[in-house]
Amino acid sequence: MNAGHPVDAERPGAVETVAGPVADVGATLMHEHVFGLSPEILWNWPDIPEGWNLETRAREAADRLTELKEHGVDTIVDLTVIGLGRYVPAVQRVAELTEVNIVAATGLYTYDALPPYFGNRGPGSLFGGPDRLAEFFVRDITEGIGETGVKAGVLKCASDHLGMTAGCERVFRAVAEAHRATGAPISTHSHSASRGGLEQQRLLAAEGVDLGRVVIGHAGDSTDLAYLEELVAGGSYLGMDRFGIDTISSFEDRVATVAAMCERGHAGRMVLSHDSYCFNDRFDHEVVRRRHPDYHLLHISRDVLPELRRRGVTEEQIHQMLVANPRDILTPREPY
């Protein structure tokens, strides 16, 4: 069966996408975003220069994804969750216009405090009560997001330079609970400069998570091979997923690190991506374009893969990072 062909939702191994379950995700970019939106800005100042028209932006995004398909990529994982402006109805429209599979995520993105809706509820909050984060995440996976019917296929959580703050810890524990209840994989945002992936692994392991079901995101920001091998030794996948953001780590450093890790036998524990957006109203598009000219969905296909091949990375290793590893991560597992 071809990648992206819809299948019976009850079929074992089917991966949930925005357009429904598919049997084979094919070549996959594991950390991208379709839309990053600021709802309160859009509600109150709809004439902002960036502009938001769902149909216009959906067609623009679909065109970009269709071009990506022409470059050999079948699926993207859209790691836009609460805190990043997730709006699944818009992504549904994109999915109607392109053959690229889009895997939706659930979770919550913060480096510190929780949004007031959750921050004012739950353990340690002003008003107390039960922590419902895991309940919300599980519902997104098992029933669907909002009224869309779209089921999330992956969980997302984040910590950054502030470390594992109380708010981040609460999200990580809720993600771990939802993971165990559903078997859905976990993908993180980590701060490589402070070796933050190790702290994430420790907390998730303490919550009973199989670290082999975890992608430590933004591991590719690091050139510290000892740190990366420590994450691999813990069992997790490494998200080499910010190709094109050269201000954090240069193109040369990113490809050299992936090539070195492949040479050391770790292709089976890496996935590739850009962390790019089709449309994001939180940044000035022209400034981003000038500062990060390679920050787009085609950079890996056009530039990164040829350079990896030049450095001795084999076709088998590239297939492992783009096809086999994502398939293993995204294939549903039983709760535990």
Side-chain angles (χ1 to χ4, degrees), residues 115-168:
Y117 182 92
F118 295 107
N120 291 330
R121 294 171 165 88
S125 70
L126 179 63
F127 297 102
D131 191 341
R132 299 186 64 191
L133 278 171
E135 173 193 335
F136 280 52
F137 302 159
V138 169
R139 187 171 69 186
D140 282 357
I141 294 166
T142 59
E143 300 178 23
I145 298 167
E147 298 179 351
T148 66
V150 172
K151 294 181 179 179
V154 63
L155 288 146
K156 168 79 173 291
C157 47
S159 63
D160 203 78
H161 63 288
L162 298 174
M164 193 62 69
T165 65
C168 291

Side-chain angles (χ1 to χ4, degrees), residues 55-69:
E55 185 66 18
T56 298
R57 296 303 182 186
R59 289 187 177 278
E60 291 173 352
D63 287 346
R64 294 187 182 189
L65 292 176
T66 296
E67 189 175 12
L68 180 64
K69 179 79 170 182

Side-chain angles (χ1 to χ4, degrees), residues 7-14 21 151:
V7 300
D8 185 340
E10 300 302 320
R11 177 171 174 169
K151 294 181 179 179

